[in-house]
Amino acid sequence: MANLRQASLRHANLALVARTVLAADSPPSRADVAAATSLTRSTVSRLVDELVAGGILEEVESVVGGPGRPGRPATPLRASTGRFAALGLQVGVGHLAVRLVDLTGAVLAERLLTADLAGSRPGSTLRRLRTMAGRVLESAPLGCHVVGAGLALPGIVDVEAGRLLSAPNLGWEDVVPGVALEAVLGGLPLRLGNEADLAAHAYAHPAPGHDSQPQDFVYLSGEVGIGGAVVVDGEVMTGRHGWAGEIGHVCVDPDGPPCRCGSTGCLEQYAGRLAMLDAAGLDASTTPSELAARARDGDEKAQLATRSAARALGVALAGVVNVLDIPTVVLGGHLAQVCDLLTPEVEEILGRRVLSGRWVSPRVVIASDDPAPGATGAALLALDELVRDPAGVLGH
C-alpha cells in the first residue's frame, strides 16, 4: 500500500513539474520550478532528469544566474521539440486537414486539401482523410512518438460514443468516423470533437499546458455556416451533452429564411459565408477577402451584405453576452477575414444591447488566419493527456 501511495505521489509530481515548465512564459530553471511548486530542489532535479531522459522536456543553453544562485549557471527547461506529437484531423465543408503537432505547439507536418464536401459521402471523404493522415505520419521526424489523435467535425458530436450525430452543412447524419480511420491510426486513441470547440481550445492554449489571453471569451468560427464555443477559465463549456455553443443557430429573426438545421432565421443565414456571398450577389467560389474588397470599394450589395451580417452578429452575441457575462468575442474563419467591416457595428450593437456594457465595454478580437484551427485543437487536446500523466508514456 505504501508503495502504491509513493508511486501515485511520484506520478502527481511528475505531472506538476511538466505542467509548470510548459506553462512558463520563458524557460524556467530547476530552481524556478522548485520555487513555483514548493517541491524541494533535489526532488525537482530528480523529476526533471526523468522527464528529460524520457523526451518530454529538454534543456537549453545555460544562462548565468537565477533565483538564489547569483553568478552560477542555470539550465533552462522547455518542452521537447519533435519527440512527442499528436495527430489532428479536420473535416470542414470546404476542406480536409491533417496536422502533426508537438509539445511546443509546432506543426511538424501537415496536409491541407480544399474541396467542396457539402453532400459528400462520409465513407469516401473519410477514406481521403485517411490517406492524408497516412502521408502526414510518414513525414513525422525520426524518433517522433505519436501519442494520440483527434478529429474536428462541423456538427453535433457524441464525444463519449465517438459518433457524429449531425452535420447539417455536410449533410452527414449518424457517422462513426473511427471505423474508417482505424487502419491508419494503428491503435492510437481517437477523440472526436466539434470544430469550433477545438478551435477555441487552440486559441486558449496554443501549446499544451500554456495559456494565452484572454481565457474567457465567446468564439465564433466561420466556413459555410458558423460554429461557436464559450470558454471560461480556459475551458470550453460543453454543456450537459457536449452540444453547447451552437451560436450559429441562435435565432435572429423567427420569420427569417429557413436553415438546414430545420429552424428559421438562424444567425448563419445572415453571417455565414454563403449567406453573405448570396446577399452580395456573388458566386459561392468568391473568397471573403474579395467580398470585403468589394465592400470597401463601394459595391452597394457587398456593403449591404456585410451590414446585414454585422447586425445579425450584434443581436445574437448581445443575447449570449447578457446570459453569460463574457464580454470578449473572438472571430475566426471567414468572419476574421471581413472583421474590419463587421466589428464597428457589432461593437456598437453590443454596447447598446449588453446590460453590463456601461461598466465593461464588450470587445471583438480576431483569431489568427489559420485555415484549420480545429485540427490543431484536436491534436493539442490529445497532447494534454500526456501532460496530465507523463508517467504513462515514461513506462511507469
Side-chain angles (χ1 to χ4, degrees), residues 18-26 103-105 201-213 215 234 380 384 387:
R19 287 197 309 271
T20 301
V21 173
L22 269 57
D25 291 329
S26 58
L103 281 170
T104 71
H201 177 82
Y203 187 84
H205 308 287
H210 193 79
D211 300 340
S212 65
Q213 293 299 325
Q215 285 286 283
L380 292 173
D384 284 345
V387 177

Side-chain angles (χ1 to χ4, degrees), residues 5 40 105 145 156 278 281 335 350:
R5 285 198 298 269
T40 65
H145 181 48
I156 297 174
D278 185 61
L335 297 174
L350 290 175

